Amino acid sequence: MTRLKEDKMATNASPAEKDIATESATMEPLESVQTNNVRPACFKSTAQEVLFVLTATMAIAMQAMLAGSVTVTSSFIGADLKMTTAEVTWISSASSLSSGAFLLFFGKVADLFGRKSMFVGSLFLFAVFALVAGFAKSAIAIDVLNGIMGLMSASGVPPAVGILGVVYEKPSKRKNYAFACFSAGNPLGFVFGTILGGLATNLFGWRASFWLIAIIFGVFTVVGIFTIPRDFTAKEPMNMETLKKFDLLGTVFIIFGIGMFSAALSLGETAPQGWKTGYVLALLIVGLALMVGFVFWDLWYKYPLVPMNIWKDRNFSLSLCILQLGFMAFIPGNFFMALYFQQVWHLSALAVAVRLLPMAIMGMIVNVVAGLILHKISNKLLMLIATLAYSTAFLLMAFNRHDSSYWAFCFPGFILMVVGADLEFNVANMYVMSSMPAHQQSVAGGIFQTVAKLCTTLGFGISTAVFNAVQQNPRMASYWDRTTQPYAATMWAAVASSLLALCLIPFLTLGTQGGKQEAKVSVTTSDAGETRQICLHHEDEKRLEGNVSIAQAGPAQAAM
């Protein structure tokens, strides 16, 4: 009976509906290919695919692992090499500065000239300079080598993101899993950097922490050679037209703009006259001017380094703002809590690493869960959960005191902090990578990572300013002892940042990402003007868009 009804409806359908239904039926095999979890053809086996995703994850983990290792070893490095406070600060600032300043530059290089060789070369050179850093004999040497390692991480991330974006081009659960693993590289890289750095330092000294990093990335260099798919995207010929596409002036603007601005933030608290020091003000003003100039230049230029029209996408802009505010709290929060453990609780590097271990375990769990639910649960809801987790985490740690139990405030704080970081990173990363075409995937990754690095530097600048101000004049409530007050103040700054991100959530309109989505297509049928809605999968909707327009048009328009 049901079948007879369907046949009768098909008989009575208008020509427009019949055409759409026919093409939808013929496209059914395409839909199943685009949204299922079949292994990409560029991989010979699942093992190769898994190793490739892990190798890509190490690209984003490069700078994070280095920063984590330096967090628990900086005091030991400074004591051994007789470094000043400013020189110790630059151990971490140098890598963050060079990484953030050159990400967009290398993103364009990867999109124009190829990704695999650039990716493998970055892993190899990062391992080489980590090995050399372990033999550093002076403050300037260790600072410069960390800056070069940051440069290598900047050259590794865009091609890794680009290859991932091309290999997993269509929305699917498999893409969610791959990008969830990739997203874990940033927060987990930092955590594992602290754990491995603390372990190596405790057993063999701070130099061993750099040598261990060299071994890890040396191994992944070899793995990458055999598992990274052949670069099958089109390469640009070396001619004047290609140089125009490179946007050299825009590259200069953004490199020196971010570099000067980040340097001003890093030097502001250690300069002779603080923020009023002449060269700090000069760097800050010129850096800001160059970044503003970059925006206006790329709005006008034919081949912009960053397509400015992408910022018109409200979800794109809001996602990056929320991520930025979260990372402004996450990285500095980790740093100052680790410093608190060392300087107030007088713990060894290994003991600090052990107390940060729950973050690594929770990070793995959250990223696995994120890969399973991105296509099932509203991503706006996930962002809300992330910002609430951030706010609660820093609120707990803000109430920590010298005589407080680690299990009462720090342990739950670290757990919730990772929930916030990983959920935000997964949602924002997936949306950003879906907003740009395949040939600009590396630029998309560069934009994403540049925002993350720049906001981390900004967060460090704000947190350091708050720390120094309270340390010089501790006037917080008597609940906190004098030694704890500066650290508690940085946690309150982190609370403010995460609450500001929470205020942006209502303006998001994100749904699920990576699953099958149905869309209703309205079609005006017959002379009576009756409108019917046909449910199509998202991919079918795109393919039928032109046919629907013709079906809706009058005879004269259709003929045109």
Side-chain angles (χ1 to χ4, degrees):
M1 185 71 179
T2 305
R3 181 57 183 263
L4 288 174
K5 269 188 179 179
E6 290 175 353
D7 291 342
K8 186 175 180 182
M9 290 175 65
T11 304
N12 294 333
S14 70
E17 286 180 298
K18 287 179 179 179
D19 289 342
I20 295 173
T22 301
E23 183 151 353
S24 179
T26 59
M27 286 173 52
E28 190 64 30
L30 286 178
E31 187 274 332
S32 61
V33 172
Q34 289 178 343
T35 59
N36 68 11
N37 290 309
V38 175
R39 185 178 69 241
C42 57
F43 298 117
K44 296 179 180 179
S45 65
T46 302
Q48 181 189 358
E49 181 185 10
V50 171
L51 288 173
F52 158 70
V53 173
L54 288 176
T55 304
T57 301
M58 295 308 295
I60 197 174
M62 273 194 261
Q63 204 274 330
M65 186 173 288
L66 177 63
S69 180
V70 167
T71 297
V72 297
T73 60
S74 57
S75 59
F76 300 96
I77 298 173
D80 187 34
L81 300 182
K82 298 178 175 57
M83 301 171 70
T84 64
T85 303
E87 290 170 337
V88 171
T89 302
W90 268 102
I91 298 175
S92 58
S93 296
S95 61
S96 179
L97 174 62
S98 58
S99 177
F102 283 88
L103 269 169
L104 290 176
F105 172 82
F106 284 118
K108 196 67 173 180
V109 172
D111 279 335
L112 289 177
F113 303 114
R115 295 164 180 159
K116 179 174 180 177
S117 56
M118 185 174 171
F119 183 18
V120 174
S122 299
L123 292 172
F124 174 71
L125 290 176
F126 187 84
V128 169
F129 284 107
L131 179 66
V132 175
F135 293 98
K137 300 293 185 182
S138 65
I140 187 65
I142 195 69
D143 287 344
V144 169
L145 286 169
N146 273 269
I148 296 175
M149 290 170 71
L151 193 66
M152 294 303 101
S153 70
S155 67
V157 171
V161 175
I163 295 173
L164 272 172
V166 172
V167 169
Y168 299 100
E169 182 181 3
K170 301 297 180 183
S172 66
K173 294 179 184 178
R174 204 178 194 96
K175 179 175 182 177
N176 285 356
Y177 299 154
F179 274 88
C181 181
F182 178 78
S183 299
N186 212 340
L188 289 185
F190 183 86
V191 174
F192 278 109
T194 61
I195 294 171
L196 295 176
L199 183 62
T201 301
N202 194 71
L203 294 176
F204 306 107
W206 68 266
R207 298 181 186 276
S209 64
F210 286 98
W211 294 335
L212 181 57
I213 290 175
I215 292 171
I216 292 171
F217 284 93
V219 170
F220 274 99
T221 299
V222 178
V223 172
I225 293 173
F226 296 101
T227 62
I228 299 173
R230 182 176 57 85
D231 198 355
F232 50 83
T233 53
K235 309 297 188 302
E236 296 283 344
M238 181 58 72
N239 52 36
M240 286 302 298
E241 191 66 18
T242 299
L243 291 178
K244 290 180 182 179
K245 292 181 181 179
F246 198 71
D247 190 11
L248 292 175
L249 186 59
T251 301
V252 171
F253 277 1
I254 197 63
I255 287 176
F256 284 96
I258 292 178
M260 290 181 177
F261 183 74
S262 300
L265 292 177
S266 300
L267 295 170
E269 292 299 323
T270 57
Q273 297 178 353
W275 294 98
K276 296 180 181 180
T277 307
Y279 63 83
V280 173
L281 288 174
L283 287 171
L284 191 65
I285 294 171
V286 175
L288 283 171
L290 287 174
M291 286 191 287
V292 172
F294 168 76
V295 173
F296 282 103
W297 170 257
D298 269 18
L299 282 171
W300 174 83
Y301 194 58
K302 183 179 179 181
Y303 303 108
L305 184 65
V306 177
M308 291 298 167
N309 61 336
I310 197 172
W311 299 102
K312 294 179 182 178
D313 185 327
R314 182 174 65 178
N315 285 328
F316 179 90
S317 299
L318 285 174
S319 295
L320 286 189
C321 286
I322 292 169
L323 179 81
Q324 177 176 348
L325 290 168
F327 265 59
M328 283 175 62
F330 177 69
I331 303 297
N334 273 287
F335 177 83
F336 280 104
M337 282 310 300
L339 199 63
Y340 182 79
F341 290 155
Q342 295 174 68
Q343 296 190 348
V344 179
W345 285 3
H346 304 293
L347 300 177
S348 66
L350 181 59
V352 173
V354 170
R355 281 162 177 77
L356 296 177
L357 182 60
M359 297 179 67
I361 298 172
M362 192 62 188
M364 289 186 286
I365 295 172
V366 172
N367 278 279
V368 170
V369 172
L372 294 172
I373 65 175
L374 278 175
H375 60 285
K376 295 181 179 180
I377 298 178
S378 167
N379 285 198
K380 179 177 180 177
L381 176 60
L382 295 180
M383 280 293 215
L384 175 62
I385 295 171
T387 50
L388 287 173
Y390 260 143
S391 302
T392 307
F394 292 115
L395 193 61
L396 283 170
M397 288 189 284
F399 281 102
N400 180 70
R401 297 189 298 184
H402 181 273
D403 58 350
S404 296
S405 167
Y406 164 81
W407 301 102
F409 297 104
C410 296
F411 176 75
F414 287 146
I415 295 294
L416 291 172
M417 192 191 304
V418 172
V419 171
D422 286 3
L423 284 182
E424 282 190 5
F425 198 89
N426 271 282
V427 173
N429 189 45
M430 180 64 73
Y431 190 83
V432 168
M433 295 311 300
S434 301
S435 301
M436 301 191 79
H439 69 280
Q440 290 182 326
Q441 289 289 316
S442 293
V443 171
I447 295 172
F448 186 77
Q449 294 300 321
T450 296
V451 169
K453 295 293 187 297
L454 183 58
C455 70
T456 297
T457 306
L458 179 62
F460 265 117
I462 295 172
S463 298
T464 304
V466 170
F467 181 90
N468 289 338
V470 176
Q471 189 178 48
Q472 293 172 9
N473 188 17
R475 292 191 298 179
M476 294 179 66
S478 58
Y479 173 85
W480 292 276
D481 54 274
R482 292 177 65 89
T483 56
T484 301
Q485 284 192 30
Y487 300 93
T490 61
M491 296 302 116
W492 281 112
V495 170
S497 182
S498 55
L499 286 177
L500 184 58
L502 182 62
C503 295
L504 299 177
I505 298 296
F507 301 100
L508 278 175
T509 58
L510 285 175
T512 58
Q513 298 188 83
K516 295 182 181 180
Q517 297 180 11
E518 289 187 342
K520 291 184 178 179
V521 181
S522 297
V523 181
T524 303
T525 64
S526 71
D527 295 333
E530 181 184 0
T531 299
R532 300 184 185 180
Q533 288 188 331
I534 302 174
C535 288
L536 302 171
H537 287 295
H538 181 66
E539 293 84 358
D540 292 346
E541 178 195 8
K542 291 181 178 178
R543 290 285 303 274
L544 294 180
E545 189 176 17
N547 292 339
V548 172
S549 299
I550 293 174
Q552 290 176 321
Q557 292 171 309
M560 292 174 64

